Every structure is written in C-alpha cells, then in structure tokens.
Amino acid sequence: MSIYLFPIKIAFIMFILFGFLLIIPWLIYSYRKYGRISLWASIVAYSFIYYMLAALFLVLLPLPNTRDTCSMQSPDTVHYSLIPFSFIRDIIKSSSVVWSQPATYVSLLKQGAFLQALFNFILLLPFGVYLRYFFNHKRYWKRALSFGFALSLFYEITQITGIYGIYNCPYRIFDVDDLILNSTGALFGFLVAPVILTLFPSRKSLIEKGEKLRGYRLVPPLSQLLAVFIDYVLIKMSWKLIGGFVTTSGLVEFIYTTVLFWILFFVVPAVWKGKTIGTHILQFQLRNFDGGEPSRWSLLKRAIALYLPLTVTSFLKIFTDIELDIDSSFYVYQVWITVGILAFLIVMWAVLIVHVLFILLKKGKRPFYFDDVADIVPWRE
C-alpha cells in the first residue's frame, strides 16, 4: 500500500504549491464565468488539479536513484508489451480461483496480476467522471474514450522514453493493456458519472445562476478587493521586471511605484470612463451614485484613500530601520519612537483588516472606505 501512498503524498504537496499559485487566476476566472466565487466550482477545479497530479505521480513514482537506468537492467530487457489482453492470461495463470465456485473469487484480491489490472482500470475512472461534468451529455462518450486513450498514451510514452530522456533507459514498460484498461476506465467513469453528479449542482445551473447575478449592479466585495490587488500587483511586477534590474535603491523604488500607482489608480480611470485594469478584468467599473462617470475629484479621493496606508507604512518603516549605537544619547528615544510606530502600524492595519472582514460579511451591502469617502459605487458592466 505504501507504494501508492507515497505518490499521493507528493501530489498533495505539489497541489498545495499549485493551488497557491493559481488562486488569483482562478478567482478572476470564477468571477468572469459565474459572477461570484462558487464553492462547488472551486471544489471541482481544485480536486481536478489534485487528481491529475496524483494520477501522474502514481504512474511515474517512485523514481530511480540514478539516471543511468540501463546499468540496472540486463541487455536483453524488453521495455514494451504489445500483446492485448495479456492481463487476462496472467490473472488466469496465477489464479487459484475455481470459476464454478464463486466463493473462491475473493482470492483475486490477493493476486498481483488482478490488482494491477484493477488499478489501471480505476486510475482514469475519475477522469471520466470529470469529463461528464464538463461535457454534461452522454452523447460525448466518444470524446471521453478518446481523451482517456490520449491521456493513457501520454503516460505510456512518458514511461517508454524514460521521462523524455531524463533516464537513459525506461524504468517501466509500455503496455498496450494499460491503454485498454485506462481508456475503458475513463469511459466507464463517464457512463456512471450521473449517479454521482446527481448529488451536486450541475455546471449548467452554476452558469445560469451567474447569468442572473450579472443582471444585478451589486459587485461582490471580494471582487472589488481582487481588482485593487491586481492593479497593485501590476505595479510591483513592473518594478521587478524593469527597475529591479537597474537599481536596488529603496528611494528609487518608492518614487517609481508611487508614480505608477497614481497612473493606474487615478489617471487610467480618469481617461477610461471609471475603469482600471483590475476592474476591467473583473468586468465592473467605478460610477457615482446616479450611474454617471465619477469626477476626477472623486477618483482623486479614492486614490488618496488607497495610497495613504501603504505610504504611511513605508514612510514610518524608514525610522524603524535606523540603527543607533546603544551608547548614543538618542538611543532611548529611538526605542520609544520605534515602539510607538509599531503600535500605530499594528492598530492601523488591524482596523483595516476588521473593516475588510466586516464588508465581506455584509456581502457588499456596505462600501469599502476608499469608495465611501469618494462617493463612488462599483457597477457591473
């Protein structure tokens, strides 16, 4: 059993990493597709990622300890099996089952040949269930069979090539029976999927609910925060890709990010009819209470409200980074100033976090402070 648990554990570790990296793209996709964060859609998407990783690692792991796998094998080693349905012969050959006595069938569960065939059948069975959820109609069974075969073929080619040349000899064989069993498992999963999927909301119902939500002007608060976050990440990424290669000066970085901040949060919405890059991606725009374009004064107040916490934090950090000798007459004052600054920053960010959590719990019925002070309302396009 440990030979199966090890790949599953590795897949879980990789899944945590991939899940973290994909959270922002998924939030953007979910809001554009469904108009909200759908818990069920998120479960399906992330479980599919984990399943695909687990299936791949079950096929490839454990890896050999050396790239010179040829040295671990005899020269006449055969790396492929092209005779179909050999697994049936292997099961019968190694079986102690008396076919006229059903009570002896239980002994199959202890036989390696049977368990190997069962594993290959089950491996892509969930893949068929996912395909049924995505395609949502039984007439697509040919696609399910084709996709199952293609995925299985990818696994077999990966094995026969020693993971595309990483190893100088294959460490697992290319087996045509694996293609048959994997593909059949995917098709079986596709056919029995309705029994499982009846317990959960369909993809069609999620999309229909998203269409209804688009009829409302209310923008979910998480979507508003995500739009701000996207614009801010663009500023940081721009510095890393451009300024970070030229200089490491903190002052230059501060000036660069400040200028770009005002461009993205003030200039862009002022000339783009109340839209920033983030709001455009999330499909909403900034409006005043009567639905018209916000004034430049309103956009300026919103930008200031967003800019102040970040600037105050950066500015006060300059004082906390000052290092004085312990014998200096100003050392005691610096300690108290640093403590005061840290206390102020903790209180300020705690208030902001509580404010954000409160708005999230209110589900957008109350505006964020930066929209409230500017008399701006986020409207769906």
Side-chain angles (χ1 to χ4, degrees):
M1 184 60 69
S2 61
I3 195 173
Y4 298 117
L5 291 179
F6 174 71
I8 292 174
K9 291 178 181 178
I10 298 299
F12 181 76
I13 295 173
M14 294 299 296
F15 167 72
I16 296 298
L17 176 62
F18 277 108
F20 178 77
L21 294 176
L22 294 175
I23 183 65
I24 298 302
W26 167 251
L27 289 175
I28 294 173
Y29 172 82
S30 184
Y31 274 117
R32 290 181 67 91
K33 185 71 174 179
Y34 306 111
R36 63 194 176 94
I37 292 296
S38 169
L39 177 61
W40 170 239
S42 300
I43 292 173
V44 171
Y46 274 81
S47 64
F48 180 70
I49 293 172
Y50 176 67
Y51 161 71
M52 294 299 288
L53 287 172
L56 178 63
F57 290 156
L58 282 167
V59 171
L60 298 182
L61 299 182
L63 298 174
N65 295 324
T66 175
R67 294 181 61 184
D68 184 18
T69 49
C70 291
S71 64
M72 303 167 57
Q73 306 169 14
S74 60
D76 59 346
T77 300
V78 178
H79 298 114
Y80 54 85
S81 175
L82 303 179
I83 302 175
F85 303 108
S86 296
F87 70 94
I88 297 177
R89 182 195 60 210
D90 294 338
I91 292 174
I92 295 175
K93 184 178 179 180
S94 61
S95 175
S96 59
V97 172
V98 179
W99 300 106
S100 60
Q101 300 178 16
T104 63
Y105 293 176
V106 180
S107 63
L108 286 172
L109 299 178
K110 301 178 181 179
Q111 295 177 2
F114 175 79
L115 292 176
Q116 181 66 27
L118 181 63
F119 165 78
N120 283 310
F121 179 80
I122 294 176
L123 181 65
L124 295 192
L125 191 150
F127 184 64
V129 176
Y130 281 109
L131 290 178
R132 184 60 177 269
Y133 177 79
F134 296 136
F135 291 144
N136 198 31
H137 204 286
K138 64 181 180 181
R139 70 173 182 271
Y140 293 118
W141 67 269
K142 293 181 181 179
R143 293 188 185 182
L145 182 61
S146 300
F147 285 149
F149 178 82
L151 183 58
S152 178
L153 184 61
F154 165 73
Y155 291 154
E156 297 302 312
I157 292 175
T158 303
Q159 291 175 337
I160 195 64
T161 58
I163 312 185
Y164 305 102
I166 294 179
Y167 300 96
N168 57 4
C169 279
Y171 61 95
R172 293 187 181 181
I173 68 170
F174 181 103
D175 195 340
V176 70
D177 281 344
D178 291 351
L179 288 172
I180 296 172
L181 290 168
N182 291 163
S183 304
T184 306
L187 177 60
F188 182 77
F190 184 85
L191 296 177
V192 302
V195 179
I196 303 172
L197 296 179
T198 51
L199 302 175
F200 306 100
S202 67
R203 186 165 177 263
K204 181 180 179 181
S205 66
L206 293 177
I207 295 175
E208 289 176 349
K209 189 172 183 178
E211 292 296 330
K212 291 180 180 179
L213 288 174
R214 288 189 179 91
Y216 299 96
R217 291 296 187 182
L218 184 66
V219 178
L222 192 56
S223 181
Q224 300 176 42
L225 286 180
L226 184 57
V228 173
F229 180 75
I230 290 172
D231 290 324
Y232 184 72
V233 167
L234 289 176
I235 296 172
K236 288 300 183 180
M237 287 179 60
S238 173
W239 168 254
K240 296 296 183 183
L241 295 175
I242 300 175
F245 290 104
V246 178
T247 178
T248 58
S249 171
L251 178 60
V252 174
E253 180 181 359
F254 176 77
I255 295 174
Y256 178 91
T257 54
T258 296
V259 171
L260 199 57
F261 179 93
W262 284 100
I263 291 174
L264 291 184
F265 284 93
F266 176 67
V267 177
V268 170
V271 300
W272 200 6
K273 299 180 179 179
K275 291 197 294 185
T276 69
I277 296 175
T279 64
H280 177 68
I281 293 175
L282 274 299
Q283 298 182 320
F284 72 90
Q285 51 195 327
L286 306 176
R287 286 285 181 263
N288 55 32
F289 288 124
D290 61 5
E293 293 182 21
S295 66
R296 284 177 171 77
W297 175 239
S298 295
L299 293 174
L300 179 62
K301 289 193 290 184
R302 182 178 187 272
I304 292 174
L306 286 167
Y307 182 70
L308 277 178
L310 300 174
T311 306
V312 169
T313 301
S314 299
F315 184 73
L316 293 181
K317 190 175 182 297
I318 296 175
F319 291 95
T320 61
D321 290 341
I322 296 176
E323 295 183 4
L324 294 179
D325 188 270
I326 194 171
D327 296 324
S328 173
S329 58
F330 296 101
Y331 181 77
V332 175
Y333 298 104
Q334 188 211 19
V335 171
W336 283 107
I337 291 174
T338 301
V339 171
I341 289 173
L342 291 176
F344 172 78
L345 291 177
I346 290 173
V347 171
M348 182 184 72
W349 284 105
V351 170
L352 288 175
I353 291 172
V354 170
H355 168 72
V356 168
L357 293 176
F358 177 76
I359 301 302
L360 292 175
L361 290 174
K362 286 292 184 178
K363 297 181 179 181
K365 295 178 181 178
R366 294 283 299 274
F368 285 108
Y369 78 95
F370 46 82
D371 287 333
D372 191 31
V373 299
D375 296 326
I376 282 178
V377 181
W379 278 28
R380 290 186 185 274
E381 295 182 0

